[in-house]
């Protein structure tokens, strides 16, 4: 499609429309064109901070506040708490692995690759949950795609 994996929405808006042999790529191009037509120029806000994002209005850089959020006293649904806890655990593990790599003299993994791995870990976890037939967390993948 010509849009890099780490491109922003703004980058995709500057991309010229192309015709593709793969139908899904043409559908993506059509959606980008629709978005351009309805574009309202407003300030870009981080998804972690906005009302639709993972932390909604509870965004905070304070470690104690983050721990309080993960204990379940935030009024979130079980799926939202699960996502928060799992991503925190995955992130801490990823940072630990990176520190271990650096101590061993290995080169650092680019941040975008780490983010891709975290996303894939979450998707894989929900795939396992779905295959086990867990109805309680059945909508987890849809919620994850909605907030990421």
């Amino acid at each position: 499609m010509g849009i890099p994996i780490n491109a922003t929405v703004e980058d995709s808006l500057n991309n010229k429309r192309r015709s593709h042999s793969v139908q899904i790529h043409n559908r993506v191009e059509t959606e980008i064109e629709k978005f351009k037509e309805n574009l309202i120029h407003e300030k870009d806000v981080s998804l972690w901070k906005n009302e639709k994002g993972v932390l909604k209005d509870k965004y905070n850089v304070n470690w104690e506040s983050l721990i309080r959020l993960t204990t379940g006293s935030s009024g979130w649904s079980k799926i939202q708490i699960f996502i928060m806890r799992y991503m925190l655990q995955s992130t801490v593990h990823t940072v630990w692995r990176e520190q271990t790599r650096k101590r061993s003299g290995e080169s650092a993994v680019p941040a975008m690759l780490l983010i891709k791995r975290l996303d894939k870990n979450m998707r894989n976890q929900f795939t396992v949950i779905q295959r086990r037939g867990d109805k309680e967390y059945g909508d987890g993948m849809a919620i994850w795609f909605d907030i990421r």
Side-chain angles (χ1 to χ4, degrees), residues 102-116:
K102 287 179 184 177
R103 283 188 200 132
S104 302
E106 297 178 41
S107 61
V109 175
M112 285 311 298
L113 182 57
L114 296 176
I115 291 168
K116 258 178 92 171

Side-chain angles (χ1 to χ4, degrees), residues 50-68:
N50 76 7
E51 63 279 347
K52 185 180 174 188
V54 174
L55 295 177
K56 301 188 188 258
D57 61 342
K58 294 175 177 49
Y59 177 80
N60 196 323
V61 293
N62 183 326
W63 183 254
E64 288 80 22
S65 297
L66 185 61
I67 296 302
R68 252 192 321 274

Side-chain angles (χ1 to χ4, degrees), residues 1-9 11-12 15 110-117 119-120 123 148:
M1 293 220 25
I3 301 172
I5 188 77
N6 59 347
T8 63
V9 173
D11 295 337
S12 68
N15 206 32
M112 285 311 298
L113 182 57
L114 296 176
I115 291 168
K116 258 178 92 171
R117 286 180 184 168
D119 178 57
K120 185 160 183 124
R123 289 183 285 129
R148 68 187 184 123

Side-chain angles (χ1 to χ4, degrees), residues 48-49 53-86 88:
W48 289 98
K49 298 179 185 179
V54 174
L55 295 177
K56 301 188 188 258
D57 61 342
K58 294 175 177 49
Y59 177 80
N60 196 323
V61 293
N62 183 326
W63 183 254
E64 288 80 22
S65 297
L66 185 61
I67 296 302
R68 252 192 321 274
L69 285 173
T70 60
T71 60
S73 58
S74 60
W76 288 352
S77 71
K78 288 180 85 169
I79 296 173
Q80 290 171 316
I81 292 170
F82 172 78
I83 290 171
M84 179 67 182
R85 288 176 180 169
Y86 191 82
L88 178 64

